[in-house]
Amino acid sequence: MHLIIRATGAGAGMLSHLLAKNPNNLYDRTEKEARVRIVFTASSEEVTEAVIYVTPDPVELVKGDSQAHNDITQYINDREFVTSSLFCTYIRAALGTALNGKPKEAYVHWVKEPLELALSFGPVASNLPDHTVEELFGALGYEVSLERGDAEYTFALKARSSARYIRLKGKQTLQTALQQLFVLIPALDDYKHYYISDDEVDKIRRYGAGWLEQHPQRALILKRTLRFGGAIRQYEEMAAKELRTAGGGPGAPADIPVLEESAPGGSAEPPGVQEAPKVRLNDLRYEAIARTVGELDERASIVDFGSGEGKLSARLSSVPGVREIRAVEPSAASQLRAMERFAKLEGRTGTVVPEPVTGSLFYFDESLRGRDVMILCEVIEHIDEHRLDRVMDTIFGQYGPKTLIVTTPNKDYNTVYGMEQEEIRHGDHRFEWGREAFSAWCSRWTGAFPYAAEITGIGEGSAEYGYPTQMAVFTRGEQLQ
Amino acid sequence: MTEKNEAQRTIPFPHGGIIVLVGPSNSGKTTLLRRLVEEGVLLETEMVSSDTYRTLVGDVEYLDWKGRPREEADILYSDYQKLSGLAFEAMNTVVSMRSRLGKLTVVDATHLQPEYRRKYIDIAAEHDLPCVAWVLDVPEQTLLARDKTREQPRGRQRVKSQYSQFKRSLRGLREEGFDFTYMLKEPEAVQFVRRDNPLLADIGAGIDVIGDIHGCYDEMLELLGELGYAAGEDGLYRHPAGRTLVSVGDVMSRGPRSLDTMIFWKRHFDAGIARMTDSNHGWKIARYLSGRNVTLSHGDENIAAELRLFEEEAGPEAAAALKEELKQFLLSAPSHLVMCRDGVRRLVIAHAGIRDEYIGRQSRRVQDFCRYGDTDGLDAAGAPVRKEWYTGHESGELIIWGHDPRPYPAVVKNTINIDQGAVFGGALTAYRYPEQAFVSVKAHRDYAEDPDSPLIRWERGRFAPPNLGKLVNGYSVFTDAYGELSVRGDYVKAAVDSVSHYTVPLEELVYIPPTMSPTPSVSADESYLEHPQEAFDYFRSQGVTTMVAEKKHMGSRAVLLLFRDEQAAVSYIGRPALGTIYSRTGRAFFDRETEVQVLARLNADLVQAGYFTRYNTEMLLLDAEIIPWNLKARELIATQYAHVAEAAKMDREHLLVKLRQAEAAGRDVSGWVQEMEAKLHSVQVFRQAFQQYCWDVSGLEGIRIAPFHILAHSGQSFFDHSHIWHMEQARQLAGISPLFMETEYRVIRSAADEADVIKWWQDMTEDGHEGIVIKPEIFITKNGRHMVQPAIKVRGRKYLHIIYGIDYLQPDNLKRLKQRRTSKKERHALMECALSVESVNRFIRREPLERVHECVLAALALESDPVDPRL
């Protein structure tokens, strides 16, 4: 990770003074387990060039939270090489004088003097497209050129390198140029921070003063540096307060563009044909199931299989007559979110708090036997067809709920969404059945076990294609009760 | 309920439970107890007295209200009632606690009212203990005389009233529910004795527990022969070391020679060299022989037939005598046996199982449980549905049980089922303790010929989904190689998540390749992190004399389960398939289309070469490495290795140019330039290191599968074969299909061999190959009781760049990296190896999915437990 600052033309010789470094000496310090070095390749009045580079200790760098990342990728990673917030932290002390604009008295007037600068830094690990990178710096008046790394391999691996090198050219004061880099280098970097401190917000505000407010990509920059809504809002409030105390002038509060929630450059959802109806359909499904459950004579105990984040279970929690809901889900991550959802139901009258249960359809859990209602809401289509029989055998033969509710997409209806014949609604769907296939499948089970099935539809119906979701309600016959 | 009268000279104490003294004040209760303590048959702590508790609770034993004015007497009486009530509450709490521990407690109080006695009958029943009444029936005159000499006399009127109350209460006493009632008119004349608990026995010279025999007499004798028992002159079978035979019951019914078998056990029991527990069939026959009206079914009718035959041959007298003998023998069979060593319970033998809280106790409930197990009503066909009581066993003893046949001894949570359905054509099993070994004899034929026999039902239920309750909160697996090993609930949950979402179906997940440790010590050579020498030293220190070194391919680990034809797969994985290929995390190795192609090709080649016929197998299970690396790891290579290489190269190339410029400009940076040159070289090595393992693949072209363990064929695993054999088999496979490739290997016996292997390793790794794996000649090698690492990997210097980083060889970095610790990795390697061997063995024995899966899930759970992934 390195930064090369080259000044040419008038005042070029001032560069070393502004940096407060003797160009004839080598700068070599250890900063937070990293070696920070500066050397001048030229130092004349016409051209002065400082090379700043950092060598972190690779062994120390990967120490620490090894428990959190049980993965070799933690050890082979680009943090040691790419310019990132880590790089800025390492070099901040070495460039302190220039960043703060506090050189020796004799050179203070040069602080505000724009110089003819060439800034080269890298490697950069960023998923931002070239044009966005160019825009980020172009908007600040730099001429930008990008260089890609060497991605020639003995076998077909990648079209181009994921390492980039950035060269900027422009007239700018050294202080502003460095402050811009200290904001934009972390913004470019892909590394995901899990925590943003208040200092970080303050730093962006200070370094961004005078240019970030008006930057056309301001939203993107904030999104990528501060990451979290809370930190961004905190910044906004600070910036607004500052402008107010500054008393109007260019960039009064009204001029601050309103931040949009979604940032460009992020992974925007592809414009899926079914996106719009899907959201609504989920709610309709929950409603339909809740209504069905509410109308059952026996509905005290419910098992919600594949309960995911617990939305359906939470919806059922207020259905009168329901006394117990088991939300069965194998994924710990989903279950955690479900538990947060369920915690909010605590203490509400007329509401039963669902119980999260670790489990899946591929195992048998004795505690799920003989319940009133078992629900498979959009679950079966995620199971390979050849495994489904065994799963249903267990449900009908071992668990034997009084009522079993199954919902699954209606493939016939995909035509209404304008989908191709072979297209499926979700990448993980192992199959999607039309009405005939679903009905035949239901009949197979009612033939094998003492259940009767009634099939209905959920969503906006079409005369020709039925409903987007099909729902079967299996009711156990008297003979087993 | 039995009543024993005065004539009875000796009265035995129960082994635990409650003795309720019944008698008015002055009847001599306390005196009797004091005498028993003095005689040493009763402990001070075994008796509780209401007088003592009144003192403990209220400082006084008695409140005297007689002779007081009416108002005062009322108050004192009420105080006394209150004190008494609380004293009883405290005392009964202690009685309850003692009962929970199975202790004996004698309650010293008058107990004149049935409701006071009832309390103790209930407490005892709740804890499956007997409740006994000792009734001190002393004449009124004696009572009155004694009262006068008392420190705090109760007074004539009170004594008289108590006496009449006592007499009234005696009438219904027998129906109150005491297990025994003893009437003591002259307690001084009675002897009280403590007997040994018939449920307890010492392990002595060792025991051999025999599973359900069901009249398979010939098989039983064969098994005894295998166990080393031989018939003496008296016709009794004895073990030269003086071991004891124990039967889990059900020695009779269904099979051909029930009578002989029963007689055998009775005679050996009488001789004190065998024991037998009660059982469902045993109890049924006992009642039949007692003349009860019982319906003989489930093979019990065979005994009636055998008895008729006996009567015809030996005459009615002999038959009656035999029936009486057998009846007594069966009725006296204990519900279960607790075998101790140094007074500590080690082994519990119970026919159909036992709950922890029943161990060492006798009650009808305990007897029923031990006979029939945990029955939970009846299923649709009227057969009892068994609940899995053994999942609740936590108290540490090893419970041996039978009753519920399964094809192989089933070990669950310190419980072992040894009923292998001999009478259904299965096997008769013996469990040896303390050796913890199984010996079994195959049944000569299926005697029961039941089309719905437990073994047949077992086979039908083989693919039933595993019971999550047994697993999800953590559990242990008993492995042959490692013994018991436990996995934690949170890691199990992570594994359950993975199995529910990502892996191939549970039935196909039969083996998880175990992890492998690098050398426990880092290289003594300062320029190496790993070196073969340390592997040799490790194995030599463990007493290994012959080692096999195998070249390690750098690709992706894969398990291949291949079937002779689609139909052959059905009995193994429950569906027709040519096979399955999955990664070390259990996920499908290839996309579906490629998998179909690979399986079809392998199958065609193997069938063409006559492989399945030659080895008479329907199945071939292989552990292999599939190359090239990019086949599976392309994304990882691109985003991690290549990306890092590109970044490092870019950084260092630019800097090198600038540093050289600085040097030219007169700066004193020659050291920095050299350093950067070296670092740029490291980048080149790193960049080449991973490209070495990658090449372009088109279709099956370029894919190579290098098997190194031939895990199993039908009914046979090969963990007992030397690695030389495995390597030779792999070579043979390479000759059969172009998809297979052989693996180079060397055998190490001498120091010269070691030097040769080091040279081989150096050449190959300098050339960029990953390295070698060194194994003891035999898979599972033990040093004393401990497993030796089944394999140690020694990776090359170049390869390790992609593990430890581009600059790992810089002396300062290497020095620190050498401080690595491998103990957790080694432990995991041993456990995972034991689990993988266990799961394959269970799989080829066609044990239920649940039994195979518990090993697989445990291995996956261990993999969720983080270990430094660079090791």
Side-chain angles (χ1 to χ4, degrees):
Chain A
M1 52 182 85
H2 68 266
L3 164 67
I4 300 165
I5 309 171
R6 186 182 178 89
T8 48
M14 283 302 114
L15 182 66
S16 57
H17 297 298
L18 290 171
L19 289 168
K21 300 284 176 287
N22 182 340
N24 298 312
N25 292 347
L26 302 182
Y27 177 93
D28 188 354
R29 301 272 171 84
T30 298
E31 184 76 31
K32 297 186 171 104
E33 312 284 352
R35 202 165 158 194
V36 181
R37 288 180 268 194
I38 302 177
V39 61
F40 285 78
T41 57
S43 60
S44 67
E45 288 309 312
E46 296 76 37
V47 53
T48 303
E49 183 177 76
V51 177
I52 301 128
Y53 76 105
V54 182
T55 325
D57 182 332
V59 179
E60 285 299 323
L61 201 61
V62 296
K63 264 194 188 163
D65 55 356
S66 65
Q67 293 294 308
H69 303 271
N70 179 25
D71 188 340
I72 192 69
T73 58
Q74 187 208 346
Y75 297 95
I76 302 298
N77 69 51
D78 61 6
R79 297 296 90 192
E80 191 189 335
F81 307 104
V82 301
T83 51
S84 66
S85 58
L86 207 56
F87 177 60
C88 296
T89 309
Y90 291 141
I91 63 173
R92 187 172 302 145
L95 302 184
T97 308
L99 266 172
N100 298 325
K102 299 260 160 54
K104 280 189 183 152
E105 196 54 43
Y107 313 108
V108 167
H109 65 282
W110 282 99
V111 168
K112 297 286 174 210
E113 210 62 53
L115 302 173
E116 208 54 69
L117 290 178
L119 304 161
S120 312
F121 62 94
V124 171
S126 180
N127 59 9
L128 292 175
D130 283 356
H131 67 86
T132 307
V133 175
E134 282 160 3
E135 245 176 86
L136 280 176
F137 292 100
L140 299 173
Y142 294 106
E143 199 178 296
V144 188
S145 65
L146 302 176
E147 176 194 324
R148 289 260 175 192
D150 174 5
E152 280 293 313
Y153 296 103
T154 53
F155 62 106
L157 184 62
K158 52 211 276 193
R160 58 182 188 180
S161 172
S162 46
R164 270 177 293 184
Y165 197 72
I166 299 181
R167 288 192 177 82
L168 308 176
K169 253 184 171 166
K171 210 167 162 71
Q172 186 56 276
T173 70
L174 177 65
Q175 185 187 14
T176 305
L178 287 177
Q179 290 188 341
Q180 287 168 342
L181 291 183
F182 269 64
V183 171
L184 293 176
I185 284 176
L188 285 168
D189 187 48
D190 283 341
Y191 188 72
K192 288 188 181 53
H193 295 260
Y194 296 100
Y195 172 73
I196 299 289
S197 70
D198 293 353
D199 288 0
E200 211 66 22
V201 178
D202 187 52
K203 199 186 76 194
I204 302 290
R205 190 188 52 76
R206 279 188 291 116
Y207 291 164
W211 60 274
L212 182 54
E213 294 86 350
Q214 301 304 322
H215 197 291
Q217 294 282 20
R218 177 171 150 276
L220 173 67
I221 295 166
L222 292 180
K223 180 77 187 161
R224 287 183 64 98
T225 45
L226 298 179
R227 311 275 167 184
F228 305 111
I232 294 173
R233 269 194 301 283
Q234 198 185 335
Y235 167 84
E236 295 290 3
E237 281 160 19
M238 263 188 193
K241 200 167 126 200
E242 217 143 274
L243 283 168
R244 272 199 303 280
T245 49
D255 294 348
I256 297 178
V258 176
L259 271 186
E260 283 168 34
E261 264 307 301
S262 68
S267 59
E269 298 285 330
V273 278
Q274 74 282 20
E275 266 324 302
K278 193 176 150 193
V279 179
R280 205 160 52 85
L281 195 53
N282 250 332
D283 294 332
L284 290 176
R285 263 195 298 264
Y286 298 156
E287 278 317 307
I289 292 171
R291 199 168 49 243
T292 307
V293 170
E295 286 164 5
L296 294 171
D297 288 337
E298 295 185 87
R299 55 177 186 276
S301 55
I302 296 183
V303 176
D304 176 10
F305 244 122
S307 54
E309 298 179 6
K311 287 183 193 158
L312 174 61
S313 286
R315 172 66 190 85
L316 294 172
S317 67
S318 58
V319 172
V322 172
R323 296 217 170 74
E324 176 197 286
I325 301 171
R326 283 170 184 247
V328 184
E329 168 61 39
S331 157
S334 299
Q335 219 176 58
L336 275 179
R337 283 192 283 277
M339 281 158 86
E340 284 168 20
R341 196 183 302 276
F342 299 158
K344 292 179 191 150
L345 302 173
E346 291 289 352
R348 284 199 205 169
T349 47
T351 299
V352 46
V353 181
E355 181 194 349
V357 175
T358 298
S360 88
L361 290 161
F362 302 127
Y363 290 90
F364 173 68
D365 183 345
E366 206 170 62
S367 70
L368 305 180
R369 282 174 77 161
R371 302 283 145 171
D372 291 328
V373 187
M374 193 167 265
I375 302 169
L376 299 177
C377 174
E378 305 297 283
V379 167
I380 58 167
E381 63 275 10
H382 292 274
I383 299 169
D384 285 325
E385 263 192 273
H386 71 266
R387 300 181 71 179
L388 191 56
D389 278 5
R390 198 161 281 153
V391 167
M392 297 313 294
D393 254 333
T394 306
I395 290 179
F396 285 116
Q398 301 285 322
Y399 293 140
K402 297 196 179 83
T403 303
L404 171 72
I405 301 175
V406 179
T407 76
T408 194
N410 168 18
K411 184 186 166 81
D412 299 338
Y413 198 86
N414 290 355
T415 315
V416 180
Y417 292 140
M419 293 166 65
E420 297 292 327
Q421 183 59 26
E422 289 314 309
E423 255 185 292
I424 45 172
R425 296 189 198 175
H426 185 285
D428 189 51
H429 283 182
R430 311 300 164 92
F431 60 82
E432 279 171 9
W433 288 333
R435 286 161 295 175
E436 202 173 311
F438 186 56
S439 160
W441 182 79
C442 291
S443 303
R444 197 146 64 73
W445 292 108
T446 52
F449 290 93
Y451 280 81
E454 192 187 332
I455 301 176
T456 52
I458 300 169
E460 197 179 321
S462 127
E464 198 176 341
Y465 301 107
Y467 293 86
T469 296
Q470 24 192 4
M471 173 166 79
V473 179
F474 292 88
T475 309
R476 202 170 71 181
E478 288 301 315
Q479 59 266 50
L480 257 195
Q481 287 180 10
Chain B
M1 164 172 153
T2 319
E3 188 186 317
K4 307 273 161 113
N5 270 316
E6 201 77 356
Q8 186 85 30
R9 284 257 162 70
T10 57
I11 292 179
F13 280 92
H15 304 289
I18 305 176
I19 297 171
V20 179
L21 296 189
V22 184
S25 298
N26 305 319
S27 58
K29 302 185 292 294
T30 311
T31 314
L32 169 64
L33 296 183
R34 226 175 279 135
R35 177 195 128 201
L36 296 180
V37 170
E38 271 164 32
E39 286 175 6
V41 289
L42 187 68
L43 296 171
E44 286 274 6
T45 46
E46 284 175 322
M47 49 187 200
V48 295
S49 118
S50 54
D51 286 350
T52 312
Y53 274 84
R54 270 191 291 269
T55 314
L56 282 174
V57 172
D59 301 322
V60 291
E61 191 179 292
Y62 181 65
L63 281 178
D64 196 356
W65 59 84
K66 64 178 188 290
R68 298 274 191 163
R70 173 77 193 256
E71 295 79 9
E72 287 181 20
D74 282 353
I75 292 167
L76 288 173
Y77 180 72
S78 135
D79 280 357
Y80 180 72
Q81 291 294 96
K82 191 173 184 184
L83 168 60
S84 261
L86 291 172
F88 270 99
E89 202 177 321
M91 181 171 84
N92 291 345
T93 304
V94 169
V95 174
S96 222
M97 297 291 165
R98 293 183 58 85
S99 299
R100 203 194 290 181
L101 290 177
K103 298 285 180 189
L104 174 71
T105 311
V106 185
V107 190
D108 178 7
T110 56
H111 298 126
L112 298 177
Q113 317 265 23
E115 58 266 33
Y116 294 152
R117 302 190 284 263
R118 176 87 242 156
K119 176 82 195 154
Y120 300 105
I121 294 171
D122 291 345
I123 294 177
E126 186 190 337
H127 297 97
D128 298 287
L129 294 169
C131 193
V132 175
W134 288 359
V135 184
L136 284 86
D137 190 4
V138 177
E140 191 175 18
Q141 291 314 312
T142 318
L143 296 179
L144 288 167
R146 283 181 188 163
D147 191 55
K148 284 185 184 149
T149 62
R150 219 183 151 126
E151 211 174 288
Q152 285 186 307
R154 268 32 172 188
R156 185 181 165 80
Q157 198 188 338
R158 199 162 137 76
V159 171
K160 280 183 87 87
S161 121
Q162 280 198 0
Y163 184 73
S164 64
Q165 208 174 26
F166 169 71
K167 277 298 185 190
R168 249 180 286 130
S169 135
L170 278 189
R171 278 172 231 148
L173 191 62
R174 274 169 240 168
E175 274 71 51
E176 284 177 19
F178 284 106
D179 294 86
F180 296 99
T181 306
Y182 298 97
M183 304 300 292
L184 307 171
K185 286 198 160 48
E186 287 176 74
E188 310 77 41
V190 180
Q191 277 299 108
F192 294 85
V193 292
R194 305 268 307 222
R195 294 213 180 110
D196 288 339
N197 187 342
L199 295 181
L200 301 182
D202 192 78
I203 289 165
I207 55 176
D208 296 305
V209 192
I210 314 290
D212 300 29
I213 302 164
H214 282 302
C216 297
Y217 190 78
D218 297 339
E219 286 84 350
M220 177 185 80
L221 292 188
E222 194 181 325
L223 181 63
L224 294 183
E226 295 225 354
L227 293 168
Y229 289 78
E233 282 176 13
D234 53 3
L236 296 179
Y237 284 74
R238 287 189 173 82
H239 194 276
R243 301 174 67 92
T244 306
L245 272 178
V246 181
S247 159
V248 295
D250 274 7
V251 301
M252 72 296 279
S253 306
R254 283 204 168 100
R257 294 179 69 182
S258 288
L259 216 48
D260 290 337
T261 317
M262 282 193 280
I263 294 166
F264 175 96
W265 284 93
K266 166 150 190 358
R267 289 188 60 203
H268 286 75
F269 173 76
D270 290 345
I273 52 177
R275 290 167 178 275
M276 183 187 85
T277 66
D278 190 13
S279 54
N280 52 326
H281 284 284
W283 177 239
K284 185 80 162 283
I285 298 304
R287 285 187 303 149
Y288 167 71
L289 294 174
S290 309
R292 302 285 188 89
N293 182 21
V294 292
T295 317
L296 295 183
S297 59
H298 301 298
D300 292 328
E301 65 279 7
N302 297 0
I303 294 173
E306 279 194 61
L307 280 168
R308 273 195 302 277
L309 207 64
F310 180 85
E311 192 166 339
E312 279 167 28
E313 284 171 10
E317 248 168 69
L322 177 65
K323 282 182 186 177
E324 179 60 23
E325 265 187 49
L326 291 177
K327 180 188 92 182
Q328 290 302 340
F329 174 55
L330 294 174
L331 283 175
S332 68
S335 59
H336 64 288
L337 285 166
V338 182
M339 310 299 289
C340 304
R341 168 143 287 169
D342 300 325
V344 179
R345 308 179 306 275
R346 302 301 289 274
L347 212 59
V348 176
I349 296 138
H351 177 66
I354 191 164
R355 288 192 192 284
D356 287 4
E357 59 270 28
Y358 295 168
I359 292 173
R361 304 188 185 199
Q362 284 277 42
S363 73
R364 174 162 301 178
R365 184 161 65 169
V366 173
Q367 285 169 327
D368 274 352
F369 194 96
C370 293
R371 277 175 204 136
Y372 308 108
D374 202 351
T375 50
D376 179 35
L378 304 178
D379 69 10
V385 176
R386 294 189 175 104
K387 286 178 81 176
E388 291 167 331
W389 58 270
Y390 37 79
T391 56
H393 175 45
E394 304 289 351
S395 59
E397 309 90 344
L398 192 54
I399 298 177
I400 312 297
W401 63 295
H403 184 60
D404 187 6
R406 38 203 72 199
Y408 292 90
V411 184
V412 181
K413 268 194 149 174
N414 258 0
T415 72
I416 303 178
N417 172 291
I418 56 166
D419 180 5
Q420 273 62 67
V423 80
F424 301 108
L428 186 62
T429 304
Y431 179 73
R432 317 202 82 175
Y433 193 87
E435 295 81 356
Q436 305 198 28
F438 297 100
V439 177
S440 81
V441 164
K442 190 105 194 60
H444 300 169
R445 64 182 198 87
D446 177 357
Y447 300 100
E449 293 182 329
D450 179 354
D452 193 37
S453 86
L455 291 184
I456 291 168
R457 270 184 279 135
W458 178 271
E459 186 60 28
R460 281 203 297 263
R462 209 155 61 85
F463 295 114
N467 188 337
L468 195 58
K470 280 193 231 171
L471 311 169
V472 74
N473 293 315
Y475 62 98
S476 28
V477 182
F478 278 81
T479 62
D480 271 351
Y482 192 89
E484 178 182 10
L485 53 88
S486 315
V487 281
R488 275 172 44 186
D490 37 357
Y491 298 135
V492 173
K493 284 185 180 128
V496 165
D497 187 0
S498 170
V499 166
S500 300
H501 280 130
Y502 309 114
T503 69
V504 299
L506 276 63
E507 310 83 75
E508 298 170 28
L509 209 52
V510 299
Y511 167 86
I512 296 296
T515 190
M516 183 177 11
S517 176
T519 51
S521 311
V522 291
S523 175
D525 188 324
E526 63 182 18
S527 53
Y528 288 92
L529 179 58
E530 295 178 5
H531 192 277
Q533 191 58 53
E534 278 68 29
F536 302 144
D537 294 347
Y538 166 78
F539 285 120
R540 297 281 184 223
S541 76
Q542 299 292 322
V544 175
T545 52
T546 305
M547 293 167 256
V548 176
E550 302 172 5
K551 183 171 172 177
K552 194 170 188 306
H553 301 284
M554 177 57 188
S556 309
R557 193 75 172 263
V559 178
L560 292 90
L561 176 57
L562 308 171
F563 296 105
R564 188 188 60 208
D565 50 52
E566 290 204 340
Q567 221 37 51
V570 176
S571 77
Y572 289 92
I573 59 170
R575 70 177 177 106
L578 279 184
T580 179
I581 303 173
Y582 57 85
S583 72
R584 64 178 310 256
T585 54
R587 302 178 188 210
F589 192 96
F590 295 106
D591 58 81
R592 194 166 293 189
E593 207 174 305
T594 314
E595 185 182 72
V596 167
Q597 283 182 43
V598 171
L599 288 173
R601 180 65 202 257
L602 289 176
N603 184 263
D605 290 340
L606 287 166
V607 168
Q608 162 97 40
Y611 186 92
F612 296 106
T613 321
R614 185 168 355 131
Y615 292 103
N616 188 26
T617 182
E618 298 179 298
M619 175 272 286
L620 169 62
L621 182 62
L622 298 172
D623 194 350
E625 193 82 2
I626 300 186
I627 53 175
W629 189 31
N630 50 315
L631 197 61
K632 199 78 191 123
R634 188 187 152 134
E635 185 59 22
L636 175 75
I637 297 166
T639 57
Q640 293 293 329
Y641 295 96
H643 170 69
V644 167
E646 288 156 24
K649 183 166 181 252
M650 173 183 275
D651 192 31
R652 291 173 177 183
E653 276 177 352
H654 281 290
L655 281 172
L656 188 57
V657 169
K658 286 295 162 189
L659 290 175
R660 283 181 178 147
Q661 281 177 12
E663 193 176 25
R667 314 284 176 227
D668 181 18
V669 290
S670 61
W672 294 6
V673 170
Q674 279 168 29
E675 179 196 331
M676 197 53 69
E677 282 168 347
K679 286 194 153 195
L680 191 56
H681 174 73
S682 296
V683 174
Q684 304 295 0
V685 173
F686 177 86
R687 222 176 136 84
Q688 276 160 15
F690 69 81
Q691 291 187 75
Q692 178 96 24
Y693 317 118
C694 304
W695 54 84
D696 291 326
V697 167
S698 114
L700 300 191
E701 202 62 46
I703 297 177
R704 305 301 300 278
I705 301 166
F708 48 86
H709 292 162
I710 315 300
L711 297 168
H713 284 163
S714 296
Q716 189 183 13
S717 65
F718 299 106
F719 298 112
D720 55 347
H721 285 47
S722 92
H723 284 294
I724 302 166
W725 178 86
H726 284 274
M727 287 288 100
E728 287 306 313
Q729 289 296 114
R731 185 200 304 279
Q732 191 199 333
L733 286 172
I736 288 175
S737 174
L739 275 172
F740 285 131
M741 68 184 276
E742 67 176 295
T743 297
E744 278 182 69
Y745 74 100
R746 301 277 192 279
V747 180
I748 304 152
R749 293 192 176 89
S750 64
D753 293 338
E754 289 183 13
D756 179 48
V757 166
I758 290 172
K759 176 79 174 39
W760 178 52
W761 173 81
Q762 260 160 347
D763 291 348
M764 127 183 22
T765 54
E766 275 316 300
D767 207 27
H769 286 287
E770 178 181 345
I772 58 175
V773 176
I774 302 176
K775 302 171 180 176
E777 189 187 2
I778 304 295
F779 253 97
I780 304 289
T781 302
K782 292 204 173 183
N783 181 15
R785 292 179 54 212
H786 298 285
M787 256 175 98
V788 172
Q789 287 295 324
I792 293 285
K793 60 184 171 191
V794 188
R795 298 167 289 185
R797 280 178 97 218
K798 281 189 174 169
Y799 170 80
L800 283 170
H801 281 87
I802 71 171
I803 301 298
Y804 281 97
I806 293 175
D807 304 313
Y808 91 99
L809 278 177
Q810 286 195 351
D812 176 50
N813 293 347
L814 188 56
K815 206 176 99 202
R816 286 178 294 160
L817 290 170
K818 279 189 168 187
Q819 288 162 7
R820 73 183 189 186
R821 295 218 170 84
T822 55
S823 53
K824 188 175 183 187
K825 181 80 166 180
E826 288 175 58
R827 205 165 56 245
H828 275 223
L830 293 182
M831 291 195 286
E832 289 182 24
C833 173
L835 285 168
S836 66
V837 171
E838 189 70 30
S839 67
V840 170
N841 282 333
R842 291 179 183 187
F843 172 67
I844 55 160
R845 291 197 299 248
R846 303 196 191 190
E847 291 200 30
L849 171 61
E850 179 171 282
R851 291 263 300 152
V852 177
H853 188 65
E854 69 170 17
C855 303
V856 166
L857 194 70
L860 290 172
L862 283 175
E863 284 287 298
S864 321
D865 185 359
V867 177
D868 183 349
R870 296 172 295 182
L871 293 173

